[in-house]
Amino acid sequence: MGVQFIGMVQPHEVSETIPRNGPAVDPAYVRVFAQAHEHAGFDRILVPASATSPDTLLTVAYAASVTQKIHFLLAHRPGFVSPTLSARQLATLDNYINGRVAVHYITGGSDEDQQRDGDFLGHDERYARSDEYIGLLRRVWTAEQPFDHEGTYYQAKGAWSEVKPVQSPYVPIYFGGASAPALQVAGKHADVYALWGESLAQAGDLVRQVRAAAAQHGRTVEFSISFRPILGATEAEAWAKAAQILEDTRRLKVSQGFSRGGPQQSEGARRLLADAAQGDRVDAHLWTALARENGGRSNSTSLVGTPEQVADALLKYYDLGITTFLIRGFDPLVDTITYGRDLLPLVRQKVAEREQQAEHLARKAA
């Protein structure tokens, strides 16, 4: 089965501890950042989206042009572009970059952010729209002849695309969202279901729920989970780094006038805050203080320790059936290089050893 690693590239340098440096679109930074992921051994790079961020499709196209082999995960919000047009855009991109793109569909957990783009649907209705949107995309990608569609949110007559994805049968679908409506859409459409960095108990529960939702459609789903690893030569050094990151985050928020805020309409954020309510440290190495500080927004939990300790912590999630890890740091470029040197090879080695042992036991039992 193996393990996959996804990093994250933003179109300019910024993090919770680093104020934005440079313009909103910094091609030189994107080039260096994407190439650093490729050299570090990441399998894929996420390009995130919000209602104010630069266009993700164009950012992926540029990042792909300055790399050779690494794949991309394009964050995409259903509902703002016709799905028939999106299908052609994404299939065209897949052709130009030789099948190196997957799409992470972000339905939206914040009414405020959705409304910046003129979307005034409520939380649950957004997921109903995503269901129809993704279904229509898949049909455009796989249809052998023009078709009509008459749905709740979209209507089309003679829908058809000359361009089909390089990847068969369609561009891989990543999907997130922890609410009941989100889980139903994930079970119906997701190739990979993406979790934020929850505790082992909560993550295991969510994996079981998504598997059950997928089974209703005769499907299976793979899983990805997101963390912000904080590494140190010793455990004490790693925890000291975590404390400094929290202090720097608080100072930057004050200087820039940011408030803590709440989880808005995101069930995923509420789940992170539920873990944080157990304390700053959960499951020995899961650090939740930053999630509580920012109201559960985004993937804001960390695994803290030596590379060996963090690798072992990741393997516990692997044992739950989670085979993809989306990791990014608070010093984004530097941490990418560090992960490639100290963490990725170690996790891959441990997973390979685990699989070899399982194969040996299976042969022995046979």
Side-chain angles (χ1 to χ4, degrees):
M1 183 181 297
V3 64
Q4 297 274 311
F5 282 97
I6 303 177
M8 191 178 89
V9 167
Q10 293 173 291
H12 50 258
E13 184 179 22
V14 68
S15 80
E16 291 87 345
T17 61
I18 300 175
R20 194 177 94 184
N21 181 24
V25 175
D26 187 340
Y29 179 75
V30 173
R31 181 179 67 253
V32 171
F33 204 2
Q35 291 172 349
H37 279 86
E38 186 162 66
H39 293 314
F42 282 80
D43 299 284
R44 197 178 287 277
I45 310 171
L46 169 68
V47 177
S50 75
T52 60
S53 61
D55 184 82
T56 55
L57 191 145
L58 296 177
T59 302
V60 168
Y62 174 72
S65 75
V66 297
T67 53
Q68 299 297 318
K69 297 180 180 179
I70 197 164
H71 289 227
F72 293 87
L73 182 58
L74 185 157
H76 177 73
R77 287 189 168 183
F80 301 110
V81 178
S82 165
T84 54
L85 173 58
S86 291
R88 298 197 305 278
Q89 289 176 326
L90 294 168
T92 302
L93 176 65
D94 200 45
N95 277 263
Y96 275 123
I97 67 174
N98 195 29
R100 290 196 283 152
V101 67
V103 182
H104 186 21
Y105 296 89
I106 310 293
T107 298
S110 165
D111 288 348
E112 179 183 7
D113 202 49
Q114 295 294 122
Q115 290 169 10
R116 290 189 180 102
D117 272 327
D119 180 19
F120 291 88
L121 292 184
H123 175 278
D124 290 1
E125 196 171 3
R126 289 199 293 268
Y127 279 100
R129 181 180 61 191
S130 289
D131 180 16
E132 184 178 342
Y133 185 98
I134 297 172
L136 187 48
L137 276 181
R138 291 170 60 183
R139 191 173 179 189
V140 171
W141 284 332
T142 58
E144 297 181 354
Q145 58 186 14
F147 64 90
D148 296 342
H149 174 83
E150 188 71 28
T152 303
Y153 302 97
Y154 303 104
Q155 295 79 42
K157 288 189 178 297
W160 175 248
S161 175
E162 294 179 7
V163 57
K164 303 296 184 183
V166 170
Q167 300 171 88
S168 180
Y170 47 76
V171 175
I173 295 169
Y174 287 63
F175 194 83
S179 64
L183 297 184
Q184 291 304 308
V185 180
K188 186 175 180 181
H189 295 293
D191 298 309
V192 181
Y193 176 80
L195 304 80
W196 281 343
E198 301 185 4
S199 62
L200 288 165
Q202 286 196 171
D205 176 64
L206 203 47
V207 166
R208 288 188 291 272
Q209 290 186 60
V210 173
R211 282 177 172 162
Q216 296 176 7
H217 300 278
R219 305 180 66 251
T220 58
V221 179
E222 296 182 6
F223 294 90
S224 170
I225 194 166
S226 303
F227 290 109
R228 314 286 293 278
I230 301 172
L231 306 179
T234 65
E235 184 177 0
E237 178 184 309
W239 284 110
K241 285 184 179 180
Q244 186 63 54
I245 286 168
L246 182 61
E247 181 181 332
D248 291 345
T249 297
R250 287 171 171 167
R251 182 172 59 250
L252 185 59
K253 287 172 69 175
V254 169
S255 68
Q256 296 190 347
F258 296 152
S259 62
R260 174 178 296 185
Q264 301 178 323
Q265 292 75 45
S266 169
E267 179 62 24
R270 283 189 279 270
R271 291 175 67 91
L272 290 190
L273 294 177
D275 271 336
Q278 300 179 47
D280 287 355
R281 303 187 189 186
V282 183
D283 295 336
H285 296 285
L286 180 65
W287 184 55
T288 64
L290 195 69
R292 183 173 56 253
E293 180 67 25
N294 69 10
R297 284 172 166 81
S298 187
N299 59 312
S300 48
T301 53
S302 298
L303 294 174
V304 181
T306 65
E308 187 83 21
Q309 289 172 324
V310 171
D312 287 339
L314 288 172
L315 256 67
K316 292 180 179 178
Y317 289 93
Y318 180 84
D319 289 340
L320 296 176
I322 299 171
T323 57
T324 296
F325 300 117
L326 195 163
I327 60 173
R328 63 185 180 102
F330 295 95
D331 191 345
L333 180 55
V334 172
D335 286 340
T336 295
I337 297 169
T338 300
Y339 296 154
R341 183 188 65 220
D342 298 335
L343 185 60
L344 271 62
L346 187 57
V347 175
R348 288 192 171 115
Q349 176 189 336
K350 287 176 177 288
V351 167
E353 291 171 353
R354 184 78 57 91
E355 291 182 343
Q356 289 171 4
Q357 184 180 21
E359 289 175 6
H360 174 73
L361 292 175
R363 285 195 302 267
K364 189 175 180 179

